[in-house]
Amino acid sequence: MTRFLPHGEVRVHREGRILILEGHGPWNVEALQHSTDKAQPILQELSGAPWGVMASISAVFINKLEITLKCLTTQMKLNVG
């Protein structure tokens, strides 16, 4: 269970073999985890063949959230294989 309600907005969807991320922040850790959870099924569908990602991110980060975003991005890559 999360400690806080997610805030910030991230749309995650795909167009063909492209994962599309559109985000407006700032986000908290819960919002970033929610976005990662939403992306996982799409990443599983894309795995096994070349794919790309297009991200449009608009936010002001504080250090901890910036580090968390980098960690979650790495986790997304590792979970796909």
Side-chain angles (χ1 to χ4, degrees):
M1 183 164 175
T2 62
R3 293 178 51 194
F4 302 102
L5 292 175
H7 64 77
E9 177 186 350
V10 178
R11 287 188 57 228
V12 179
H13 62 282
R14 75 181 264 202
E15 293 182 19
R17 305 277 317 148
I18 307 292
L19 173 68
I20 309 291
L21 304 172
E22 299 172 89
H24 305 281
W27 302 276
N28 60 1
V29 172
E30 289 78 10
L32 294 174
Q33 184 60 56
H34 179 71
S35 300
T36 301
D37 295 344
K38 289 192 316 188
Q40 284 303 316
I42 296 171
L43 292 169
Q44 291 300 321
E45 292 172 8
L46 293 171
S47 68
W51 60 278
V53 63
M54 184 173 77
S56 173
I57 306 296
S58 168
V60 175
F61 290 108
I62 59 172
N63 256 353
K64 186 175 180 180
L65 287 179
E66 185 173 10
I67 292 167
T68 301
L69 179 60
K70 289 177 183 176
C71 290
L72 290 175
T73 302
T74 302
Q75 178 185 353
M76 286 170 55
K77 291 177 187 175
L78 293 175
N79 286 344
V80 172

